[in-house]
């Protein structure tokens, strides 16, 4: 006669639920090695939504923080080399350029955007530790957004935040506000200083289009362009004639309570060769990620961009030549300073021209 099942055995036809706690594992442990297997306790799946995505970069890493109508905004910079001269004044110039309320064609919010370095420097020099930069919000007007609690704004992130997190910052859009870019500007000022000191890199950006007013390509000498030319008018277009046309276009819609978009062109001179890595870390791919993460940006081009599809391959190719110093250069720059060379078995992303040209489009001036 068969023996009754022990606490570690299961009778034929009996439900698995009748097995004592831990009995199934004990049952498998007592089985022959050829059929033995391990089973852990199954846990109920739980969906967690994490608000990540606030950090950009690998070696020079920037984390931005803060909200439009909170106590302040800023950034934490990790990876800055030690012994770099750095004070608030190095950042304040660029922060003043993005500051709201500068002219009639910008947002009317009044902020001084005065920055304060809280860590990472000693006696005007970087220490190599994380640099914490804070810019307090001084013109918080939460009452201006009372209606936003009742309705979602078109083409804003209000609905998106509610759907994803179940909560949103009604006052000014929170993290989706353009004030988030203050941390980027402060970190960018530090990065520009390092690149200038170490490599002689120069980076400039200007408005090249507002609505239907387009600055012609030949109106700008990319080799000779200066910051003074860009800063000569409130639209920051280096050509005075087209700058006025852009300002007039903005004024025309502004008085009707409307807005229009534009395009910013950025150039980087004296960029070292060999920046970037194959496939997902190509320089142009990283630049696109950074630019398209800006609020309201909807397009990114490098070099000829989408217009390159109007040319044949032979027309679009950048022909190589040797300059007087023996350096390999290109006669044109349709690739925007970034080319992929096939060096079997890997790809190398290489800046092969002295000017890197980028365009980024925004939908709101």
């Amino acid at each position: 006669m068969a023996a009754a099942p022990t606490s570690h055995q299961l009778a034929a036809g009996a439900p698995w639920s009748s097995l004592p706690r831990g009995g199934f594992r004990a049952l498998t442990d007592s089985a022959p090695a050829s059929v033995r297997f391990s089973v852990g306790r199954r846990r109920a799946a739980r969906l967690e939504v994490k608000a990540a995505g606030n950090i950009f970069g690998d070696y020079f890493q920037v984390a931005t923080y803060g909200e439009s109508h909170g106590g302040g905004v800023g950034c934490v910079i990790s990876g800055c080399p030690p012994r770099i001269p750095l004070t608030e004044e190095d950042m304040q110039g660029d922060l003043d350029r993005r500051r709201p309320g500068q002219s009639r064609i910008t947002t009317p919010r009044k902020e001084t955007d005065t920055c304060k370095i809280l860590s990472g420097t000693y006696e005007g020099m970087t220490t190599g530790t994380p640099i914490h930069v804070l810019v307090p919000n001084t013109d918080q007007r939460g009452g201006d957004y009372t209606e936003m609690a009742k309705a979602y704004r078109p083409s804003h992130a209000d609905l998106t935040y509610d759907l994803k997190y179940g909560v949103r910052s009604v006052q000014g859009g929170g993290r989706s506000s353009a004030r988030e870019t203050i941390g980027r500007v402060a970190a960018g000022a530090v990065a520009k200083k390092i690149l200038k000191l170490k490599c002689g890199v120069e980076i400039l950006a200007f408005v090249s289009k507002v609505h239907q007013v387009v600055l012609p390509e030949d109106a700008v000498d990319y080799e000779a362009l200066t910051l003074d030319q860009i800063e000569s008018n409130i639209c920051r277009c280096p050509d005075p004639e087209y700058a006025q046309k852009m300002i007039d276009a903005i004024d025309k819609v502004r008085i009707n309570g409307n807005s229009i978009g534009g395009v910013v062109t950025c150039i980087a001179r004296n960029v070292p060769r060999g920046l970037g890595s194959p496939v997902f870390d190509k320089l142009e791919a990283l630049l696109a990620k950074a630019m398209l993460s800006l609020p309201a940006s909807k397009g990114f081009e490098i070099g000829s961009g989408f217009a390159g599809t109007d040319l044949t391959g032979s027309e679009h190719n950048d022909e190589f030549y040797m300059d007087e110093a023996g350096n390999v250069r290109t006669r044109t720059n349709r690739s925007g300073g970034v080319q992929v060379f096939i060096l079997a078995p890997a790809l190398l992303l290489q800046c092969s021209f002295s000017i890197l040209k980028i365009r980024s489009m925004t939908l709101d001036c």
Side-chain angles (χ1 to χ4, degrees):
M1 186 169 71
T6 67
S7 60
H8 295 332
Q9 293 177 319
L10 187 66
W16 290 107
S17 58
S18 64
L19 195 66
R21 179 184 294 270
F24 184 60
R25 181 178 295 279
L27 178 65
T28 59
D29 288 344
S30 62
S34 59
V35 295
R36 192 175 299 170
F37 57 93
S38 176
V39 178
R41 185 179 301 172
R42 183 177 179 180
R43 296 181 179 178
R46 185 176 63 178
L47 177 63
E48 292 184 358
V49 179
K50 298 181 179 180
N54 302 298
I55 301 173
F56 181 81
D58 294 315
Y59 301 106
F60 185 90
Q61 193 174 75
V62 180
T64 69
Y65 68 86
E67 298 178 343
S68 179
H69 288 266
V73 291
C75 66
V76 176
I77 306 166
S78 300
C80 179
R83 301 183 301 279
I84 300 292
L86 185 68
T87 64
E88 283 89 350
E89 286 71 25
D90 291 307
M91 306 177 194
Q92 197 60 56
D94 283 337
L95 288 171
D96 288 343
R97 294 184 69 218
R98 78 150 301 283
R99 180 171 51 85
Q102 298 183 47
S103 69
R104 67 180 187 274
I105 65 173
T106 67
T107 176
R109 180 170 175 170
K110 300 295 182 181
E111 292 279 1
T112 61
D113 284 354
T114 303
C115 69
K116 180 67 176 177
I117 298 177
L118 302 181
S119 68
T121 63
Y122 177 72
E123 295 184 344
M125 301 284 284
T126 60
T127 61
T129 58
I131 300 171
H132 182 185
V133 183
L134 169 66
V135 175
N137 290 327
T138 59
D139 188 24
Q140 298 119 312
R141 294 173 292 168
D144 291 354
Y145 296 89
T146 304
E147 292 299 317
M148 300 303 103
K150 305 174 184 177
Y152 298 124
R153 292 171 293 177
S155 298
H156 283 68
D158 301 343
L159 174 60
T160 306
Y161 269 70
D162 251 356
L163 292 176
K164 183 174 179 66
Y165 301 113
V167 64
R168 64 187 172 98
S169 176
V170 174
Q171 299 177 341
R175 288 290 287 162
S176 63
S177 167
R179 283 194 67 73
E180 180 273 336
T181 62
I182 283 178
R184 306 183 193 217
V185 172
V190 178
K192 281 199 305 180
K193 181 158 191 175
I194 296 172
L195 291 171
K196 181 71 172 179
L197 289 173
K198 301 294 185 179
C199 310
V201 174
E202 296 178 286
I203 302 172
L204 296 170
F206 59 90
V207 176
S208 55
K209 179 181 178 181
V210 169
H211 201 211
Q212 297 177 353
V213 181
V214 183
L215 181 67
E217 281 280 338
D218 57 4
V220 180
D221 182 347
Y222 296 119
E223 293 280 3
L225 182 65
T226 66
L227 182 61
D228 288 340
Q229 289 176 284
I230 298 171
E231 292 292 307
S232 63
N233 57 79
I234 60 175
C235 199
R236 294 198 169 96
C237 172
D239 185 279
E241 177 185 353
Y242 280 88
Q244 189 57 53
K245 292 180 180 179
M246 293 175 182
I247 294 170
D248 292 343
I250 297 172
D251 282 338
K252 185 177 180 180
V253 299
R254 183 178 61 87
I255 60 177
N256 295 322
N258 212 334
S259 62
I260 48 179
V263 175
V264 172
T265 296
C266 175
I267 61 172
R269 296 193 285 241
N270 304 318
V271 178
R273 302 183 181 195
L275 296 182
S277 298
V279 193
F280 297 112
D281 288 336
K282 295 176 182 178
L283 181 58
E284 55 194 345
L286 297 175
L287 289 171
K289 179 180 180 180
M291 294 298 103
L292 290 175
S293 67
L294 290 167
S297 61
K298 287 297 178 182
F300 174 83
E301 292 183 340
I302 187 164
S304 62
F306 294 109
T309 60
D310 296 331
L311 305 176
T312 63
S314 58
E315 291 171 329
H316 192 270
N317 285 337
D318 292 320
E319 180 184 350
F320 292 110
Y321 75 98
M322 299 285 288
D323 65 14
E324 295 178 355
N327 297 313
V328 178
R329 304 293 296 274
T330 59
R331 300 189 185 280
T332 53
N333 192 24
R334 298 186 183 95
S335 62
V338 177
Q339 292 187 353
V340 178
F341 291 86
I342 299 179
L343 301 177
L347 296 177
L348 173 66
L349 194 70
Q350 187 173 36
C351 296
S352 60
F353 202 78
S354 61
I355 297 178
L356 181 67
K357 185 172 68 174
I358 308 163
R359 287 191 182 89
S360 182
M361 179 183 72
T362 178
L363 288 181
D364 194 10
C365 286

